[in-house]
Amino acid sequence: MDNIKNNIYYIQKIRKDLEFIVEHMRDVSMEELNVNEVLLDSMLFRMILRFQKMQKG
């Protein structure tokens, strides 16, 4: 079954990414985030990737 790539599809993808970020960042303070470079990089990468896909879409 192919995904229909319409506005609803892309909105759902954005919501899933944002929910993922919120879930994983829920209890993380700014100090912890600054110390944990892997977490910081992964969250920033996810946001940048989503932003780039939105620009192309």
Side-chain angles (χ1 to χ4, degrees):
M1 175 186 251
D2 292 342
N3 286 329
I4 298 171
K5 305 245 170 117
N6 56 21
N7 287 342
I8 293 171
Y9 171 83
Y10 291 108
I11 289 170
Q12 289 172 340
K13 295 285 284 175
I14 292 168
R15 286 189 67 182
K16 276 187 168 184
D17 281 341
L18 291 175
E19 288 170 2
F20 178 88
I21 291 169
V22 168
E23 180 64 29
H24 286 83
M25 299 299 292
R26 185 176 311 272
D27 297 321
V28 178
S29 69
M30 284 300 291
E31 293 81 19
E32 290 174 294
L33 187 59
N34 288 327
V35 171
N36 189 340
E37 290 182 21
V38 173
L39 179 59
L40 178 60
D41 286 349
S42 67
M43 293 302 124
L44 288 174
F45 176 76
R46 197 169 195 84
M47 288 189 289
I48 291 167
L49 186 63
R50 175 54 49 208
F51 180 72
Q52 288 175 339
K53 286 183 180 180
M54 286 173 28
Q55 285 182 325
K56 291 178 186 176

Coordinates of all heavy atoms in Angstrom, one line a residue:
M1 N 0.8 -1.2 0.0 CA 0.0 0.0 0.0 C 0.9 1.2 0.0 O 1.7 1.4 0.9 CB -0.9 0.0 1.2 CG -1.7 1.2 1.4 SD -2.6 1.2 2.9 CE -4.3 1.0 2.3
D2 N 0.7 2.1 -1.0 CA 1.5 3.3 -1.1 C 0.8 4.4 -0.2 O -0.4 4.5 -0.1 CB 1.5 3.8 -2.5 CG 2.3 2.9 -3.4 OD1 3.1 2.1 -2.8 OD2 2.2 2.9 -4.6
N3 N 1.7 5.2 0.4 CA 1.2 6.4 1.1 C 0.9 7.5 0.1 O 1.6 7.7 -0.8 CB 2.3 6.9 2.1 CG 2.5 6.1 3.3 OD1 1.6 5.4 3.7 ND2 3.7 6.1 3.8
I4 N -0.3 8.1 0.3 CA -0.6 9.2 -0.5 C 0.0 10.4 0.1 O -0.1 10.8 1.2 CB -2.2 9.4 -0.6 CG1 -2.8 8.2 -1.2 CG2 -2.5 10.7 -1.3 CD1 -4.3 8.2 -1.1
K5 N 0.9 11.1 -0.7 CA 1.7 12.2 -0.2 C 1.0 13.5 -0.5 O 1.3 14.3 -1.4 CB 3.1 12.2 -0.9 CG 3.8 10.9 -0.8 CD 5.0 11.0 0.0 CE 5.6 9.6 0.3 NZ 6.8 9.3 -0.2
N6 N 0.0 13.7 0.4 CA -0.7 15.0 0.4 C -0.4 15.8 1.6 O 0.4 15.4 2.4 CB -2.2 14.7 0.2 CG -2.8 13.8 1.3 OD1 -2.2 13.7 2.4 ND2 -3.9 13.2 1.1
N7 N -1.1 16.9 1.8 CA -0.9 17.7 3.0 C -1.1 17.0 4.3 O -0.3 17.2 5.2 CB -1.8 19.0 3.0 CG -1.3 20.0 1.9 OD1 -0.2 19.9 1.4 ND2 -2.2 20.9 1.6
I8 N -2.1 16.2 4.4 CA -2.3 15.4 5.6 C -1.1 14.5 5.9 O -0.7 14.4 7.1 CB -3.6 14.6 5.5 CG1 -4.8 15.6 5.4 CG2 -3.8 13.6 6.6 CD1 -6.1 15.0 5.1
Y9 N -0.6 13.8 4.9 CA 0.5 12.9 5.1 C 1.7 13.7 5.7 O 2.3 13.3 6.7 CB 0.9 12.3 3.8 CG 2.2 11.6 3.8 CD1 2.3 10.3 4.3 CD2 3.4 12.2 3.4 CE1 3.5 9.6 4.3 CE2 4.6 11.5 3.4 CZ 4.7 10.2 3.9 OH 5.8 9.5 4.0
Y10 N 2.0 14.9 5.1 CA 3.2 15.7 5.6 C 2.9 16.2 7.0 O 3.8 16.3 7.8 CB 3.5 16.8 4.6 CG 4.1 16.2 3.3 CD1 3.4 16.2 2.2 CD2 5.4 15.6 3.3 CE1 3.9 15.6 1.0 CE2 5.9 15.0 2.2 CZ 5.2 15.1 1.0 OH 5.7 14.5 -0.1
I11 N 1.7 16.6 7.3 CA 1.4 17.2 8.6 C 1.6 16.1 9.6 O 2.1 16.3 10.7 CB 0.0 17.7 8.6 CG1 -0.1 19.0 7.8 CG2 -0.5 18.0 10.1 CD1 -1.4 19.6 7.6
Q12 N 1.1 14.9 9.3 CA 1.3 13.7 10.2 C 2.8 13.4 10.5 O 3.2 13.1 11.6 CB 0.6 12.5 9.7 CG -0.9 12.6 9.8 CD -1.7 11.5 9.1 OE1 -1.1 10.8 8.3 NE2 -2.9 11.3 9.5
K13 N 3.6 13.5 9.4 CA 5.0 13.3 9.6 C 5.7 14.3 10.5 O 6.5 14.0 11.4 CB 5.8 13.3 8.2 CG 5.4 12.2 7.3 CD 6.0 10.9 7.7 CE 7.5 10.9 7.3 NZ 8.1 9.7 7.8
I14 N 5.3 15.6 10.3 CA 5.8 16.7 11.2 C 5.3 16.4 12.6 O 6.2 16.6 13.6 CB 5.3 18.0 10.7 CG1 6.0 18.3 9.3 CG2 5.6 19.1 11.7 CD1 5.3 19.5 8.6
R15 N 4.1 16.1 12.8 CA 3.6 15.9 14.2 C 4.3 14.7 14.9 O 4.7 14.8 16.0 CB 2.1 15.6 14.1 CG 1.3 16.8 13.9 CD -0.2 16.5 14.1 NE -0.4 16.3 15.5 CZ -1.6 16.0 16.0 NH1 -2.6 15.9 15.2 NH2 -1.7 15.7 17.3
K16 N 4.6 13.6 14.1 CA 5.3 12.5 14.7 C 6.7 12.9 15.1 O 7.2 12.5 16.2 CB 5.4 11.3 13.7 CG 4.2 10.5 13.7 CD 4.5 9.2 12.8 CE 3.4 8.2 13.0 NZ 3.7 7.0 12.3
D17 N 7.4 13.7 14.3 CA 8.7 14.1 14.6 C 8.7 15.1 15.9 O 9.6 14.9 16.7 CB 9.4 14.9 13.5 CG 9.9 13.9 12.4 OD1 10.1 12.7 12.7 OD2 10.2 14.4 11.3
L18 N 7.8 15.9 15.9 CA 7.7 16.8 17.1 C 7.3 16.1 18.3 O 7.9 16.4 19.4 CB 6.6 17.9 16.8 CG 7.0 19.0 15.7 CD1 5.8 19.9 15.5 CD2 8.3 19.7 16.1
E19 N 6.4 15.1 18.2 CA 6.1 14.3 19.4 C 7.3 13.5 19.9 O 7.5 13.4 21.1 CB 5.0 13.3 19.0 CG 3.6 14.0 18.9 CD 2.5 13.1 18.3 OE1 2.8 11.9 18.1 OE2 1.4 13.6 18.1
F20 N 8.1 13.0 19.0 CA 9.3 12.3 19.3 C 10.3 13.2 20.1 O 10.8 12.9 21.1 CB 10.0 11.8 18.0 CG 11.3 11.1 18.3 CD1 11.4 9.7 18.6 CD2 12.5 11.8 18.3 CE1 12.6 9.1 18.8 CE2 13.7 11.1 18.5 CZ 13.7 9.8 18.8
I21 N 10.5 14.4 19.6 CA 11.4 15.4 20.2 C 10.8 15.8 21.6 O 11.6 15.7 22.6 CB 11.5 16.6 19.3 CG1 12.3 16.3 18.1 CG2 12.2 17.8 20.1 CD1 12.4 17.3 17.0
V22 N 9.6 16.1 21.7 CA 9.0 16.4 23.0 C 9.1 15.3 24.0 O 9.5 15.5 25.1 CB 7.5 16.8 22.8 CG1 6.8 16.9 24.2 CG2 7.4 18.1 22.1
E23 N 8.9 14.1 23.6 CA 9.0 12.9 24.5 C 10.4 12.7 25.0 O 10.6 12.5 26.1 CB 8.5 11.7 23.7 CG 8.5 10.4 24.6 CD 7.6 10.5 25.8 OE1 6.6 11.1 25.7 OE2 8.0 9.8 26.8
H24 N 11.4 12.9 24.1 CA 12.7 12.6 24.5 C 13.4 13.8 25.2 O 14.4 13.7 25.9 CB 13.6 12.2 23.3 CG 13.3 10.8 22.9 ND1 12.2 10.5 22.1 CD2 13.9 9.6 23.2 CE1 12.2 9.2 21.9 NE2 13.2 8.6 22.5
M25 N 12.8 15.0 25.1 CA 13.3 16.1 25.7 C 12.5 16.6 27.0 O 12.9 17.5 27.7 CB 13.3 17.3 24.7 CG 14.2 17.1 23.5 SD 15.9 16.8 23.9 CE 16.4 18.4 24.4
R26 N 11.5 15.8 27.3 CA 10.6 16.2 28.4 C 11.3 16.6 29.7 O 11.0 17.6 30.3 CB 9.6 15.1 28.6 CG 8.5 15.4 29.6 CD 7.5 14.3 29.7 NE 7.0 13.9 28.4 CZ 5.9 14.4 27.7 NH1 5.3 15.4 28.3 NH2 5.6 13.9 26.6
D27 N 12.1 15.7 30.2 CA 12.8 15.9 31.5 C 14.2 16.4 31.4 O 15.0 16.2 32.3 CB 12.7 14.6 32.3 CG 11.2 14.2 32.6 OD1 10.4 15.2 32.8 OD2 10.9 13.0 32.5
V28 N 14.6 16.9 30.2 CA 16.0 17.3 30.0 C 16.1 18.8 30.2 O 15.4 19.6 29.6 CB 16.5 17.0 28.6 CG1 17.9 17.4 28.4 CG2 16.3 15.5 28.4
S29 N 17.0 19.2 31.1 CA 17.2 20.6 31.4 C 18.2 21.2 30.3 O 18.9 20.4 29.6 CB 17.8 20.9 32.8 OG 19.1 20.3 32.9
M30 N 18.3 22.5 30.3 CA 19.3 23.1 29.3 C 20.7 22.7 29.7 O 21.5 22.4 28.8 CB 19.2 24.6 29.4 CG 17.9 25.2 28.7 SD 17.9 24.7 26.9 CE 19.3 25.7 26.3
E31 N 21.0 22.6 31.0 CA 22.3 22.2 31.4 C 22.7 20.8 30.9 O 23.7 20.5 30.4 CB 22.5 22.3 32.9 CG 22.4 23.7 33.5 CD 21.0 24.2 33.6 OE1 20.0 23.5 33.6 OE2 20.9 25.5 33.7
E32 N 21.7 19.9 31.1 CA 21.9 18.5 30.7 C 22.1 18.4 29.2 O 22.9 17.7 28.7 CB 20.7 17.6 31.1 CG 20.6 17.4 32.6 CD 19.3 16.6 32.9 OE1 18.2 17.2 32.7 OE2 19.4 15.5 33.3
L33 N 21.3 19.2 28.5 CA 21.3 19.2 27.0 C 22.7 19.7 26.5 O 23.3 19.1 25.6 CB 20.2 20.1 26.4 CG 20.1 20.0 24.9 CD1 19.8 18.6 24.4 CD2 19.0 21.0 24.5
N34 N 23.2 20.7 27.2 CA 24.5 21.2 26.8 C 25.7 20.3 27.1 O 26.7 20.3 26.4 CB 24.8 22.6 27.5 CG 23.9 23.7 27.0 OD1 23.6 23.7 25.8 ND2 23.5 24.6 27.8
V35 N 25.5 19.4 28.1 CA 26.5 18.4 28.4 C 26.4 17.2 27.5 O 27.4 16.6 27.1 CB 26.4 18.0 29.9 CG1 27.3 16.8 30.2 CG2 26.7 19.2 30.8
N36 N 25.2 16.8 27.1 CA 25.0 15.6 26.4 C 25.0 15.9 24.9 O 23.9 16.2 24.3 CB 23.6 15.0 26.8 CG 23.4 13.6 26.2 OD1 24.1 13.3 25.2 ND2 22.5 12.8 26.8
E37 N 26.1 15.9 24.3 CA 26.3 16.3 22.9 C 25.5 15.4 21.9 O 25.0 15.8 20.9 CB 27.7 16.4 22.5 CG 28.5 17.6 23.1 CD 29.9 17.7 22.7 OE1 30.3 17.1 21.7 OE2 30.7 18.3 23.5
V38 N 25.5 14.1 22.2 CA 24.8 13.2 21.4 C 23.3 13.5 21.3 O 22.7 13.5 20.2 CB 25.0 11.7 21.8 CG1 24.2 10.7 21.0 CG2 26.5 11.4 21.8
L39 N 22.7 13.7 22.4 CA 21.3 14.1 22.5 C 21.0 15.4 21.7 O 20.1 15.5 20.9 CB 20.8 14.2 23.9 CG 19.3 14.6 24.1 CD1 18.4 13.5 23.4 CD2 19.0 14.7 25.6
L40 N 21.9 16.4 22.0 CA 21.7 17.7 21.3 C 21.8 17.5 19.8 O 21.0 18.0 19.1 CB 22.8 18.7 21.9 CG 22.8 20.0 21.2 CD1 21.5 20.8 21.4 CD2 24.0 20.8 21.8
D41 N 22.9 16.8 19.4 CA 23.1 16.6 17.9 C 21.9 15.9 17.3 O 21.5 16.2 16.2 CB 24.4 15.9 17.7 CG 25.6 16.7 17.9 OD1 25.4 18.0 18.0 OD2 26.7 16.2 17.9
S42 N 21.4 14.8 18.0 CA 20.3 14.1 17.4 C 19.0 14.9 17.3 O 18.3 14.8 16.3 CB 20.1 12.8 18.1 OG 19.6 13.0 19.4
M43 N 18.7 15.7 18.3 CA 17.5 16.5 18.2 C 17.6 17.6 17.2 O 16.7 17.9 16.4 CB 17.2 17.1 19.6 CG 16.8 16.1 20.7 SD 15.4 15.1 20.2 CE 16.0 13.5 20.4
L44 N 18.8 18.2 17.1 CA 19.0 19.3 16.1 C 19.0 18.7 14.7 O 18.4 19.3 13.8 CB 20.3 20.0 16.4 CG 20.3 20.9 17.6 CD1 21.7 21.5 17.8 CD2 19.3 22.1 17.4
F45 N 19.6 17.5 14.5 CA 19.6 16.9 13.2 C 18.2 16.6 12.8 O 17.8 16.8 11.7 CB 20.4 15.6 13.3 CG 20.4 14.8 12.0 CD1 21.1 15.2 10.9 CD2 19.6 13.7 11.9 CE1 21.0 14.5 9.7 CE2 19.5 13.0 10.7 CZ 20.3 13.4 9.6
R46 N 17.4 16.1 13.7 CA 16.0 15.7 13.4 C 15.2 17.0 13.0 O 14.4 16.9 12.0 CB 15.3 15.1 14.6 CG 14.1 14.3 14.3 CD 13.7 13.5 15.6 NE 12.7 12.5 15.3 CZ 12.9 11.3 14.9 NH1 14.1 10.9 14.6 NH2 12.0 10.5 14.7
M47 N 15.4 18.1 13.7 CA 14.7 19.3 13.4 C 15.2 19.9 12.0 O 14.4 20.3 11.2 CB 14.8 20.4 14.5 CG 14.1 20.0 15.7 SD 14.0 21.3 17.0 CE 15.7 21.2 17.6
I48 N 16.5 19.9 11.8 CA 17.0 20.4 10.6 C 16.5 19.5 9.4 O 16.1 20.1 8.3 CB 18.6 20.4 10.6 CG1 19.0 21.5 11.6 CG2 19.2 20.6 9.2 CD1 20.5 21.4 12.0
L49 N 16.6 18.2 9.5 CA 16.1 17.3 8.5 C 14.6 17.6 8.1 O 14.3 17.7 7.0 CB 16.3 15.9 8.9 CG 16.0 14.8 7.9 CD1 16.9 14.9 6.7 CD2 16.1 13.5 8.5
R50 N 13.8 17.8 9.2 CA 12.4 18.0 8.9 C 12.2 19.4 8.2 O 11.4 19.5 7.3 CB 11.6 18.0 10.3 CG 10.2 18.4 10.2 CD 9.3 17.6 9.3 NE 9.5 16.2 9.3 CZ 9.3 15.3 8.3 NH1 9.0 15.8 7.1 NH2 9.5 14.1 8.5
F51 N 13.0 20.4 8.6 CA 12.9 21.7 8.0 C 13.2 21.6 6.6 O 12.6 22.2 5.7 CB 13.7 22.7 8.8 CG 13.7 24.1 8.2 CD1 12.5 24.9 8.4 CD2 14.8 24.6 7.5 CE1 12.5 26.2 7.8 CE2 14.7 25.9 7.0 CZ 13.6 26.7 7.1
Q52 N 14.3 20.9 6.2 CA 14.8 20.8 4.9 C 13.7 20.1 4.0 O 13.4 20.5 2.9 CB 16.1 20.0 4.8 CG 17.2 20.9 5.3 CD 18.5 20.1 5.3 OE1 18.5 18.8 5.4 NE2 19.6 20.8 5.4
K53 N 13.1 19.0 4.6 CA 12.0 18.3 3.8 C 10.8 19.2 3.6 O 10.2 19.1 2.6 CB 11.7 17.1 4.6 CG 12.7 16.0 4.5 CD 12.2 14.7 5.1 CE 13.3 13.6 5.0 NZ 12.9 12.4 5.7
M54 N 10.5 20.1 4.6 CA 9.4 21.0 4.4 C 9.7 22.0 3.3 O 8.8 22.3 2.5 CB 9.1 21.7 5.7 CG 8.5 20.9 6.8 SD 8.3 21.6 8.4 CE 8.2 23.3 8.1
Q55 N 10.9 22.4 3.2 CA 11.2 23.4 2.1 C 11.1 22.8 0.8 O 10.7 23.4 -0.2 CB 12.6 24.0 2.4 CG 12.7 24.9 3.5 CD 14.1 25.5 3.6 OE1 15.1 24.8 3.4 NE2 14.2 26.8 4.0
K56 N 11.5 21.5 0.6 CA 11.5 20.8 -0.7 C 10.0 20.5 -1.0 O 9.7 20.4 -2.2 CB 12.3 19.5 -0.6 CG 13.8 19.8 -0.5 CD 14.5 18.5 -0.4 CE 16.0 18.7 -0.2 NZ 16.7 17.4 0.0
G57 N 9.2 20.1 0.0 CA 7.9 19.7 -0.3 C 7.0 20.7 -0.9 O 6.2 20.6 -1.7

